[in-house]
Amino acid sequence: MMNIWKTNMSDLKSFFYPKSICIIGASSKEKSIGYEILKSIKAYSFKGSVFPVNPKATEILNYKCYNSILDIDEKIDLAIIVVPKKFVDDSIDKLISKNVNSVILITAGFKEIGEEGKKHEEELLRKLNTAGIRMVGPNCMGVINTIDEIRLNATFVAEQPVKGGIGFLSQSGALGAAVLNSLRETDIRFAHFISIGNKADVSELDVLTFWLSDKNIETISFYLESFQNGLELIKRFKNSKISKPLIILKAGKTKSGMKAASSHTGALSSNEKIIDALLKQFGIIRVNTISEMFNTAKGFENFPPPKGNRIAVITNAGGPAILAVDKLEERNLFLAELSESTKTKLKEIVLQEGSVNNPIDLLPVGSPELYKKVNEVVLDDENVDAIISIFVEPVMVNAFEVIESVNLIQNEKPIYQVCMPLPEFWQKYNNLSATQLPIFRTPEAPAEIISNILLHEEKKDQNIEIGEIKIGAKQSHINVYFLDQKEAEGICRSFNLPVVESAILPINELTSINSLKFPLVVKGLSKEVVHKSELNAVKLNIKNKEELFIAVDEIKNSFNNNNHSLEKLLLQPFIKPNHELLIGGFRDSSFGPVVMFGSGGKYVEVLDDTNIKSAYLNYNDLEEMISDTKIGKILKGVRGEEGVDTERLKLFIKSVAKIMIEKENILEIDLNPLIVDSNSNFHAVDVRIKSQ
Ligand code: ADP
Ligand code: MG
């Protein structure tokens, strides 16, 4: 909207690496935000200079306090505003005349309260944009950088975050605060934290760009309630040469994308479904919970990535192992088949009552030495890609020694330890562990971590094979219309789609047709009618002229009874279907062109067997679209049936993707059904294109 001046302002450095900051609205009143934020800055020993501004104080927390920002002589990199809303305009004006680099507006009461607040927010933004100043917020809770040379905690959470490699962005201030409050318990270690609030100016896209090129950031995690622009997100993520894992916890529902119930493709794709599918397609990890988000980040940061999905579980108790195995299955991971030699070795050290089959049960007697030895033996097994080692603290064995003995094993395969100890364990572990490796608290956590890391590993080097992501023109919702039958068929043919031969006739010319080939299909066409069979306007398997005339009469009557005008008749050869498929495409308002493949025909909605992908796809994606649907599995051949040529099918899906990318006016395409006949030939018997 107001991005015109931003071209050279993409650098967010002064938010994360300021040398000097001022706090407008610093306060000497304990528990006020203006006080707490200054206290956090001081307690965390910020390495730069700090300038509190408050006309009523001369000194706060031993910092010299300034009457006005204009009294400060030094250049200010970052100004943090916490004054009540009515003073915000004045503060911003002064910051502009002081020519600060960047502003964090913590004060709330803008877009989130309604129209008036929204206008106010836009006004402020306009001023700042004109002055070339970037703003984070309003309605946010600040920024943290744990790097030694900076040590900035400009939030009102009085914690001492420990340095790590995670960049954590939160759209919600409260959630950000909750995470910061729990740091001592969860042991999350991040490099940068930022709360972006209303994201009037700086959005997750700006932060993504910045973090992708910041060497202190290893993994990027976002808590989002809305996507600024899904296509931009993908583009930035894909275009970046540095492939850092991106983990997104997305709550709530976004404003629904373009959804036209008129097309099957549109109706079958809820916004959530698209977000899920497209993030996955590009290797962006979507998580369900806060703990999954940070466990995954810890997994990336502290362990070598698993090379595959064959997992061994080592445990001293049955229950937690079962939960771990259930989660493995849910996440499409496999219990590794241990080699005979591994089992032989294990038999020598594991009690007979235990189990040397995966999951390996050491029983409650499992000692630090046994845990270490068994983990080492299993790591040596070529059939194992990763280990989940679970320990529930029994009376006779101490948790700390077990955990630390396994931690000390060095290997290129990861071991994720789950510990369910007595409460005293955690403090002891924090104080005494030499490795300080993350220990997980639930048996389900490692499976989530492994599957998320595998997604990243699988997708990180994959390229888009068709099209280059382009941020296209805006959709209009005014001049939207369906192309007529011939036009739609023409476009499909020019992209090599197997459109069935058809003849279109005015209704009264039927008698003049002599050379009809039976059996055929007759359909009634009208601009007003989108689903022909609902109006009884599709007559199949017509074997002779008499049947044809009867069918046409029926169609006419049906149109009359429903007050629609029948415009034309469409004649096609009747094709006996073996399978009915759907290929579709449409333009999502946030994520751009998408394609869909699945079970087609009249019952598509009921069958709900479809797969969606961004039209910017590659061969692997095409393969996945087919193998992830039930109809796709059937086409490949089940119960001894010969399979269908799915390579041709992939070409057709690719064609639809190309149409969506190349023809920017096209909003939706529906090939439903694409019939597969008994000779495995394809026939698109119903094509529809919506354009603008
Ligand atoms: P609509 O989707 O507008 O109701 P279709 O043209 O898709 O109309 O036809 C409805 C159904 O009729 C299809 O799902 C298919 O089962 C069948 N059908 C349509 N055209 C043919 C054809 N040429 N040969 C065989 N079956 C057909
Ligand atoms: Mg149809």
Side-chain angles (χ1 to χ4, degrees):
M1 170 188 53
M2 281 171 216
N3 290 348
I4 26 179
W5 292 284
K6 271 194 208 163
T7 24
N8 293 316
M9 299 168 55
S10 60
D11 195 0
L12 303 188
K13 198 164 175 210
S14 45
F15 287 102
F16 293 102
Y17 296 89
K19 295 206 170 63
S20 53
I21 57 179
C22 69
I23 293 91
I24 320 288
S27 164
S28 38
K29 213 166 81 217
E30 274 184 50
K31 299 280 171 206
S32 72
I33 290 182
Y35 178 84
E36 295 301 322
I37 215 166
L38 200 60
K39 200 173 115 188
S40 300
I41 291 170
K42 190 178 177 76
Y44 202 57
S45 318
F46 176 52
K47 295 288 169 65
S49 17
V50 182
F51 302 98
V53 175
N54 180 340
K56 292 194 212 116
T58 51
E59 192 194 280
I60 307 172
L61 288 162
N62 291 331
Y63 290 113
K64 178 181 177 213
C65 191
Y66 291 77
N67 234 318
S68 153
I69 168 138
L70 300 173
D71 299 340
I72 304 169
D73 289 331
E74 259 183 75
K75 167 91 182 137
I76 302 293
D77 285 339
L78 174 63
I80 299 169
I81 304 179
V82 293
V83 295
K85 193 177 141 189
K86 59 180 182 220
F87 301 125
V88 167
D89 284 273
D90 179 58
S91 308
I92 297 262
D93 290 340
K94 288 191 174 127
L95 289 170
I96 290 174
S97 62
K98 172 77 187 156
N99 198 17
V100 299
N101 282 341
S102 51
V103 169
I104 297 181
L105 180 53
I106 290 185
T107 310
F110 292 87
K111 191 169 74 193
E112 77 278 12
I113 62 157
E115 202 45 45
E116 199 186 317
K118 187 171 169 228
K119 275 210 193 98
H120 192 177
E121 188 173 302
E122 283 168 2
E123 242 164 69
L124 290 179
L125 187 60
R126 202 169 304 129
K127 275 191 204 170
L128 288 164
N129 263 335
T130 315
I133 299 170
R134 301 289 319 249
M135 173 176 75
V136 164
N139 187 25
C140 64
M141 64 156 297
V143 63
I144 294 178
N145 184 347
T146 62
I147 306 308
D148 294 332
E149 305 84 75
I150 301 291
R151 290 198 64 87
L152 174 65
N153 177 1
T155 73
F156 34 90
V157 177
E159 284 296 318
Q160 298 278 318
V162 178
K163 186 174 70 174
I166 303 172
F168 171 42
L169 168 149
S170 180
Q171 187 168 348
S172 147
L175 190 114
V179 168
L180 297 181
N181 284 333
S182 74
L183 286 180
R184 266 174 287 172
E185 197 190 315
T186 53
D187 199 27
I188 298 163
R189 296 168 197 184
F190 47 75
H192 299 167
F193 161 79
I194 191 158
S195 138
I196 53 172
N198 293 6
K199 43 186 186 180
D201 177 23
V202 172
S203 74
E204 72 272 16
L205 293 169
D206 302 300
V207 178
L208 176 66
T209 309
F210 184 74
W211 280 349
L212 281 170
S213 60
D214 184 311
K215 64 176 184 353
N216 292 316
I217 303 290
E218 287 167 34
T219 59
I220 300 173
S221 53
F222 287 173
Y223 167 80
L224 293 178
E225 282 155 10
S226 63
F227 285 103
Q228 171 91 353
N229 183 330
L231 197 55
E232 283 267 15
L233 177 83
I234 292 166
K235 186 176 172 186
R236 260 167 241 215
F237 186 68
K238 245 353 279 188
N239 283 2
S240 162
K241 293 282 168 288
I242 315 137
S243 105
K244 299 184 185 182
L246 172 57
I247 308 164
I248 295 183
L249 174 61
K250 155 82 178 52
K253 300 254 187 291
T254 49
K255 197 165 110 288
S256 77
M258 198 189 81
K259 238 183 274 138
S262 61
S263 90
H264 294 297
T265 312
L268 284 167
S269 40
S270 77
N271 217 55
E272 284 299 302
K273 224 170 159 178
I274 294 173
I275 294 172
D276 251 7
L278 270 66
L279 293 185
K280 186 167 164 236
Q281 183 180 352
F282 293 98
I284 298 172
I285 297 159
R286 186 176 188 188
V287 293
N288 298 317
T289 61
I290 301 177
S291 57
E292 186 185 348
M293 174 158 78
F294 289 112
N295 282 338
T296 303
K298 287 177 183 177
F300 274 111
E301 215 181 323
N302 297 282
F303 303 91
K307 295 260 171 359
N309 57 10
R310 302 162 309 164
I311 316 299
V313 177
I314 300 170
T315 187
N316 66 348
I322 295 171
L323 292 176
V325 172
D326 284 349
K327 199 48 137 189
L328 288 177
E329 203 164 298
E330 188 189 310
R331 295 299 189 109
N332 292 321
L333 303 167
F334 295 96
L335 265 184
E337 188 69 50
L338 300 180
S339 73
E340 284 312 314
S341 92
T342 301
K343 284 188 214 166
T344 312
K345 283 185 215 153
L346 289 178
K347 271 187 197 137
E348 286 166 20
I349 47 177
V350 175
L351 281 185
Q352 236 179 11
E353 299 78 39
S355 162
V356 298
N357 286 316
N358 195 7
I360 302 150
D361 192 348
L362 310 184
L363 302 175
V365 294
S367 62
E369 297 73 32
L370 187 63
Y371 260 93
K372 179 163 187 286
K373 190 82 198 110
V374 169
N375 267 284
E376 284 169 343
V377 168
V378 175
L379 283 171
D380 272 347
D381 192 321
E382 280 183 354
N383 299 338
V384 173
D385 296 310
I387 297 180
I388 300 173
S389 184
I390 302 172
F391 180 82
V392 183
E393 190 161 5
V395 189
M396 55 283 206
V397 184
N398 198 305
F400 179 78
E401 282 71 27
V402 170
I403 297 300
E404 196 66 352
S405 75
V406 175
N407 272 344
L408 289 168
I409 301 172
Q410 303 253 347
N411 201 282
E412 76 279 8
K413 294 178 188 173
I415 304 175
Y416 306 94
Q417 290 205 77
V418 174
C419 188
M420 304 167 97
L422 298 168
E424 300 81 65
F425 167 82
W426 298 105
Q427 189 64 46
K428 183 172 178 186
Y429 185 77
N430 278 345
N431 293 341
L432 298 182
S433 166
T435 58
Q436 294 287 323
L437 278 175
I439 304 301
F440 303 98
R441 290 169 192 243
T442 63
E444 296 91 347
E448 294 176 345
I449 299 168
I450 296 166
S451 69
N452 290 338
I453 294 179
L454 286 177
L455 174 74
H456 171 77
E457 291 295 316
E458 178 198 334
K459 303 280 182 178
K460 72 176 183 196
D461 298 322
Q462 285 189 14
N463 291 320
I464 296 167
E465 281 163 18
I466 65 165
E468 196 166 303
I469 295 183
K470 205 167 47 201
I471 309 304
K474 279 266 166 256
Q475 289 172 31
S476 95
H477 289 278
I478 322 159
N479 301 315
V480 174
Y481 62 97
F482 284 101
L483 299 188
D484 74 28
Q485 187 69 28
K486 277 290 156 213
E487 271 181 292
E489 288 182 3
I491 291 179
C492 290
R493 285 211 179 86
S494 67
F495 281 81
N496 297 320
L497 290 163
V499 181
V500 81
E501 287 304 324
S502 63
I504 294 169
L505 304 174
I507 26 178
N508 43 12
E509 275 178 30
L510 193 58
T511 41
S512 63
I513 296 278
N514 292 319
S515 57
L516 286 174
K517 267 207 201 118
F518 296 98
L520 56 71
V521 172
V522 60
K523 303 180 186 180
L525 296 183
S526 157
K527 280 211 173 55
E528 301 156 22
V529 177
V530 177
H531 297 296
K532 296 178 287 298
S533 22
E534 275 169 23
L535 210 75
N536 216 356
V538 177
K539 303 287 180 186
L540 305 174
N541 200 8
I542 293 173
K543 299 196 189 65
N544 50 48
K545 270 200 170 169
E546 273 129 63
E547 282 187 25
L548 178 59
F549 289 130
I550 296 170
V552 170
D553 275 342
E554 281 177 14
I555 293 176
K556 277 184 194 159
N557 285 340
S558 172
F559 271 68
N560 277 340
N561 295 341
N562 289 284
N563 291 323
H564 286 301
S565 60
L566 176 60
E567 288 156 11
K568 279 174 186 155
L569 294 171
L570 180 73
L571 297 179
Q572 294 176 338
F574 172 72
I575 292 151
K576 202 162 167 295
N578 248 10
H579 306 284
E580 296 197 34
L581 315 177
L582 161 98
I583 302 180
F586 75 103
R587 226 165 271 287
D588 181 75
S589 57
S590 177
F591 285 87
V594 300
V595 284
M596 186 188 253
F597 167 76
S599 297
K602 284 191 285 188
Y603 307 117
V604 271
E605 281 87 358
V606 184
L607 294 169
D608 194 14
D609 174 37
T610 52
N611 185 294
I612 308 174
K613 296 256 191 256
S614 164
Y616 300 106
L617 44 69
N618 61 29
Y619 186 81
N620 271 322
D621 295 319
L622 293 169
E623 176 56 39
E624 249 181 57
M625 291 186 88
I626 293 176
S627 54
D628 282 3
T629 48
K630 292 184 189 130
I631 186 70
K633 291 190 185 101
I634 293 171
L635 291 179
K636 288 190 166 187
V638 286
R639 297 191 178 276
E641 288 171 10
E642 205 179 310
V644 167
D645 184 359
T646 49
E647 291 309 310
R648 286 202 70 201
L649 189 55
K650 285 174 203 163
L651 289 180
F652 299 146
I653 301 173
K654 197 168 157 182
S655 289
V656 172
K658 273 193 166 158
I659 294 176
M660 291 310 296
I661 290 171
E662 288 172 22
K663 303 226 168 257
E664 287 180 16
N665 279 336
I666 293 184
L667 300 176
E668 295 176 48
I669 308 180
D670 239 358
L671 271 62
N672 183 28
L674 173 67
I675 291 182
V676 186
D677 68 18
S678 52
N679 297 321
S680 290
N681 288 321
F682 295 89
H683 312 265
V685 297
D686 185 25
V687 302
R688 202 167 1 235
I689 294 181
K690 199 184 206 181
S691 183
Q692 66 179 3

